[in-house]
Amino acid sequence: MTDDQTFMFDRAAETMPRGDINALQLGRVKRTLERADEKVAHYKRAFDAAGVKPDDLRTLDDLRRFPFTVKTDLRDNYPFGMFAEPRETLIRLHASSGTTGKPTVVGYTQADVDLWTNLMARSLACGGALPGDIIHNAYGYGLFTGGLGAHYGAERLGCTVVPVSGGGTERQVILLEDFASRVICATPSYALNIAEVAARQGVDLRKLPVSIGVFGAEPWSDALRTELEKKLGLKAVDIYGLSEILGPGVAMECHVEQAGLHAWEDHFIFETIDPETLEPVPDGEPGELVITTLTKEALPMVRYRTRDITRLSDAPCSCGRTHRRILRITGRDDDMLIIRGVNVYPSQVEAVLVGLPGIAPHYQFVVTNEGPMTALRVEVEAAPDAPMDSAAKAAKAAEVQHHIKSIVGVTCEVEVMETGAVPRSEGKAVRVRDLRK
Ligand code: DLL
């Protein structure tokens, strides 16, 4: 391995033996439960209702006796009711977009921002960034945690940050070219948009120094990874996080194996459960990811149900990091559609569409009622270098429909549209237009 491959931001923590990780978790989770019980009325009530006290936790398995926390708990305590520290001691707030009702507000003390910054520095290095790199940060700045999270982490790692945020895509291409950034941070859908605009501007991103793409904040498939690596001429790594827990930097894929995300177990406990029965699922089986924070001050989270579906893997990694991995997130269980009795996530269909000859990697689902059932129309685009007349489009649509049926098992209508007809993303892509009543 070269030096670049073995570089770690926090080697002692990242390579901790399993026994040490477990011992650290046990001490830290006790403290989290005590603080939650003492300082947050919601937790006191929830623990009392479940008949548990922080003292009941003797082993890590005992955590299962404690109640889950869900998004509505944050909404019900809007805006500051879940905070374990006085509002005056917080130095930052972030919030979710709140497409359904009130936004979710999260807060950070100085120690929380330091923790986040260190975990983001660790994550960027895990993905292949090095001190001294120029990092083009196209995650949105603002209430969304992506922009500022990546920004602080990149600075801590010793990089030069270009805080470009999302949007102004022509200018992004010019900056990538002029500043010769080595790392780009963006949602995968926005990275694809940048690649498309670059091609229109006559800029070949593959010839630029950009060589690491830190992509996350939305589900994406391995097919899209291959597409992005080809179009941008870089190595694409997956980054995961959520505001309720921290922001980006909760788990990160290493550039060595690119095979699942190291979940930072010195600061969080990760479980997977069956979302119906709420029972744990065995490692390796798909389940809903549940996360407990171990070191957060302002917003401790006990068994937070993320709604994200993934699998936990114990397989050792050749990068040397000992933290267990979560495998690629298929999607959120609330994004799952049931089409004629078949469960389907947008990312499963993406995996079929991306890379199909003659089709551009842009798509959107339109979901409607068909009597009591849900019907799916998949809108895709003809590739710009393969213009089609209407007969060719119809033939292509039939072919795509057949692929989706045979690989995902779902019957849907497919429409091949003009190049540019599917809306382009500048952040998290809107994959589903739900027109159901
Ligand atoms: O999306 C934090 C983030 C910023 C992560 C930048 C990575 C990069 P939220 O806006 O709170 O936070 O949205 C969190 O986004 O529960 C997942 O459903 C989804 N998500 C985040 N990362 C991934 C990923 C940020 N790598 C929600 N793969 C999460 C799939 C992801 N889904």
Side-chain angles (χ1 to χ4, degrees):
M1 276 197 220
T2 65
D3 283 344
D4 287 9
Q5 280 193 303
T6 53
F7 176 75
M8 290 183 203
F9 178 73
D10 190 355
R11 179 171 298 275
E14 291 170 64
T15 60
M16 214 183 256
R18 174 56 37 193
D20 293 1
I21 293 180
N22 290 350
L24 186 69
Q25 286 188 331
L26 185 60
R28 287 183 166 177
V29 74
K30 273 188 185 145
R31 184 83 195 105
T32 295
L33 294 174
E34 282 160 9
R35 287 187 70 250
D37 188 59
E38 270 164 36
K39 299 189 169 204
V40 185
H42 163 81
Y43 283 117
K44 170 104 187 96
R45 279 195 304 272
F47 292 177
D48 287 349
V52 283
K53 302 184 297 305
D55 277 353
D56 294 334
L57 182 121
R58 301 222 161 69
T59 67
L60 286 174
D61 283 343
D62 291 333
L63 185 58
R64 287 193 203 140
R65 299 169 56 188
F66 287 79
F68 294 107
T69 307
V70 293
K71 200 173 186 93
T72 41
D73 294 327
L74 284 157
R75 294 222 171 101
D76 293 346
N77 292 285
Y78 177 85
F80 304 148
M82 293 288 279
F83 293 165
E85 294 295 332
R87 202 277 310 144
E88 294 74 9
T89 65
L90 306 195
I91 62 160
R92 179 96 66 79
L93 299 174
H94 280 280
S96 72
S97 52
T99 39
T100 48
K102 289 239 193 269
T104 315
V105 178
V106 298
Y108 303 78
T109 62
Q110 180 65 59
D112 291 331
V113 169
D114 283 342
L115 164 73
W116 185 14
T117 300
N118 284 325
L119 284 185
M120 258 319 287
R122 185 198 283 191
S123 297
L124 289 167
C126 180
L130 293 167
D133 280 349
I134 301 181
I135 296 199
H136 181 100
N137 184 17
Y139 284 122
Y141 282 64
L143 287 173
F144 173 53
T145 51
L148 285 168
H151 182 105
Y152 275 58
E155 286 185 352
R156 178 69 50 91
L157 183 59
C159 301
T160 309
V161 191
V162 185
V164 54
S165 192
T169 311
E170 274 92 9
R171 193 179 55 162
Q172 304 249 358
V173 174
I174 295 168
L175 294 181
L176 275 168
E177 195 174 24
D178 292 352
F179 294 173
S181 297
R182 187 175 162 266
V183 180
I184 177 168
C185 298
T187 60
S189 59
Y190 189 46
L192 197 59
N193 185 353
I194 294 176
E196 189 179 45
V197 170
R200 265 209 308 270
Q201 287 174 229
V203 175
D204 187 350
L205 293 176
R206 291 168 305 180
K207 299 210 170 104
L208 302 188
V210 64
S211 55
I212 304 276
V214 177
F215 300 140
E218 63 186 5
W220 56 305
S221 58
D222 272 328
L224 186 55
R225 186 208 299 269
T226 308
E227 185 76 13
L228 287 167
E229 292 193 330
K230 204 167 69 193
K231 287 212 152 102
L232 288 108
L234 46 64
K235 192 178 254 200
V237 283
D238 196 1
I239 180 163
Y240 173 77
L242 62 169
S243 351
E244 295 90 322
I245 294 300
L246 186 74
V250 172
M252 178 75 205
E253 197 166 55
C254 64
H255 66 110
V256 179
E257 286 203 353
Q258 290 177 286
L261 303 89
H262 292 283
W264 303 129
E265 293 183 278
D266 47 345
H267 294 284
F268 311 100
I269 291 179
F270 299 87
E271 306 170 68
T272 39
I273 60 161
D274 178 326
E276 301 290 323
T277 65
L278 307 183
E279 291 301 320
V281 298
D283 283 2
E285 299 285 317
E288 179 182 339
L289 186 66
V290 170
I291 308 179
T292 299
T293 64
L294 299 177
T295 47
K296 284 270 297 295
E297 283 186 349
L299 191 61
M301 278 289 164
V302 177
R303 304 193 80 201
Y304 184 69
R305 288 187 58 184
T306 64
R307 318 297 303 203
D308 293 322
I309 305 296
T310 183
R311 287 176 285 159
L312 284 170
S313 163
D314 267 333
C317 187
S318 55
C319 76
R321 292 177 181 84
T322 47
H323 296 239
R324 282 196 299 175
R325 282 178 280 182
I326 56 174
L327 301 188
R328 194 184 271 296
I329 297 189
T330 337
R332 298 176 57 76
D333 79 345
D334 27 18
D335 285 347
M336 193 188 76
L337 299 166
I338 304 175
I339 309 294
R340 299 192 175 89
V342 180
N343 298 353
V344 49
Y345 289 100
S347 63
Q348 287 173 288
V349 177
E350 174 184 292
V352 177
L353 296 178
V354 176
L356 271 188
I359 294 289
H362 306 284
Y363 66 96
Q364 203 170 43
F365 284 10
V366 182
V367 181
T368 51
N369 290 121
E370 195 173 74
M373 310 281 271
T374 298
L376 172 64
R377 185 171 80 240
V378 177
E379 296 182 347
V380 293
E381 276 180 19
D385 54 359
M388 293 181 210
D389 61 19
S390 49
K393 277 185 186 152
K396 191 49 111 180
E399 184 192 325
V400 174
Q401 187 180 23
H402 173 76
H403 275 289
I404 296 175
K405 173 75 186 163
S406 60
I407 298 172
V408 187
V410 63
T411 306
C412 58
E413 190 193 327
V414 173
E415 188 178 345
V416 177
M417 320 218 319
E418 289 304 318
T419 302
V422 173
R424 299 297 189 257
S425 130
E426 293 186 347
K428 293 187 193 241
V430 179
R431 295 300 192 195
V432 179
R433 267 189 0 251
D434 193 342
L435 306 180
R436 284 175 294 189
K437 296 280 175 315

